[in-house]
Amino acid sequence: MASQFTVCGGFYLSMIGLIKHTLQNKLTRELNTIHVTSAIVEKNRNEIFQKAKEQNVSHMLQLDSDMTFPPNYLDYLLQMSKEFPDAVVSGLAFMGNPPHFPICFKLDEEGVVRGNHHPISKFPEDAPFEVDILGGYGFLVPRVILDKLSDEPFNKIGKYQEDFSFSKRVKELGFRLVVDPRIQMGHIRPKAIGYEDFESTVLRLQKSRMPRTISESSPSKDGTEIKRQKSKG
């Protein structure tokens, strides 16, 4: 029960901060929340998507309940959406299990994911970057993409998970998936996993001579890290 409380508590505290920041700064005329509880992930994601379309919202923000995020997370993504109006946009989050790669992927030259996973280990620290597959942990979908997608865009395609299937459908319609590492989410396992966990694990793997797909460059020490906004969990 302690672990369950930690996850729910961290998420709801983040939600309170996000709602308060959004309303106080009058970022939107109306903010509707949709809470789903099915044990089937794709069912939850499809239900949120369908209700968002029915409510005629300008954007849909999807947040997983095992994530933490800063109060200005929605504010930041709305600004991103203005810069990338043809994209699903998101902050950066990391896998709960080592080596804590980012939860976003690139396709290989044949257009398939190696072993269902081709994680991105090299990415810019101070600029948005485009990906082929994006985890559903906390992304913002603009109305133009909501209208183009089918009513159940998270239905699994073959052996692939719901997030891969959603990403595939978005890309097939000609839209993009963009991640900004300057704003980050915590992934509770049971603490909030973040950039520091990715960094320390990658460095440890380098020392043990793991495959060179791991980035060999350490984070910049010139102050760019300060620009990164991270959830405190």
Side-chain angles (χ1 to χ4, degrees):
M1 290 301 293
S3 176
Q4 181 179 2
F5 177 79
T6 300
V7 172
C8 294
F11 171 76
Y12 284 118
L13 286 174
S14 293
M15 277 297 296
I16 291 170
L18 182 145
I19 292 172
K20 183 178 179 180
H21 176 88
T22 302
L23 296 179
Q24 284 183 342
N25 290 276
K26 300 179 180 179
L27 302 178
T28 179
R29 289 179 295 178
E30 188 175 1
L31 183 65
N32 300 326
T33 59
I34 302 169
H35 184 220
V36 290
T37 58
S38 172
I40 304 174
V41 177
E42 66 181 284
K43 179 179 179 181
N44 285 335
R45 301 209 191 291
N46 280 329
E47 183 178 346
I48 292 172
F49 181 87
Q50 291 165 7
K51 289 182 177 179
K53 289 187 72 171
E54 292 170 1
Q55 294 177 7
N56 198 34
V57 298
S58 63
H59 296 79
M60 179 193 79
L61 174 64
Q62 178 175 280
L63 296 166
D64 282 354
S65 61
D66 62 346
M67 308 301 294
T68 60
F69 37 90
N72 69 329
Y73 189 71
L74 175 57
D75 188 356
Y76 197 99
L77 295 191
L78 286 171
Q79 295 303 314
M80 275 188 71
S81 191
K82 292 179 181 179
E83 183 179 356
F84 303 99
D86 63 337
V88 174
V89 296
S90 175
L92 187 63
F94 299 86
M95 298 179 189
N97 297 323
H100 306 302
F101 284 113
I103 313 177
C104 50
F105 308 87
K106 277 288 188 180
L107 298 176
D108 62 23
E109 294 180 357
E110 287 73 35
V112 297
V113 181
R114 298 190 188 98
N116 293 341
H117 292 85
H118 183 28
I120 296 173
S121 60
K122 294 182 179 181
F123 53 87
E125 295 186 29
D126 57 358
F129 59 94
E130 191 168 347
V131 302
D132 294 320
I133 304 168
L134 178 60
Y137 53 85
F139 56 57
L140 186 74
V141 186
R143 186 77 210 183
V144 64
I145 300 181
L146 290 175
D147 287 338
K148 293 290 185 179
L149 286 166
S150 65
D151 287 340
E152 296 184 326
F154 291 96
N155 283 356
K156 295 178 181 179
I157 299 174
K159 64 180 180 180
Y160 299 113
Q161 295 300 312
E162 72 286 338
D163 295 341
F164 177 96
S165 302
F166 175 83
S167 297
K168 187 175 188 297
R169 292 183 172 103
V170 169
K171 298 280 285 186
E172 286 177 345
L173 289 170
F175 297 109
R176 297 187 292 166
L177 305 166
V178 179
V179 177
D180 195 326
R182 292 171 295 187
I183 190 159
Q184 299 181 9
M185 303 181 78
H187 197 175
I188 304 174
R189 287 295 189 278
K191 73 165 188 173
I193 299 296
Y195 181 86
E196 292 80 2
D197 301 280
F198 164 71
E199 178 186 14
S200 63
T201 308
V202 167
L203 292 177
R204 186 169 67 247
L205 288 176
Q206 288 175 354
K207 292 179 180 178
S208 62
R209 297 184 180 180
M210 291 293 288
R212 295 183 180 277
T213 55
I214 307 301
S215 172
E216 295 184 357
S217 60
S218 59
S220 172
K221 301 301 181 181
D222 62 0
T224 56
E225 293 176 328
I226 299 175
K227 298 178 181 178
R228 220 181 280 116
Q229 299 185 57
K230 295 169 282 189
S231 172
K232 296 180 180 179

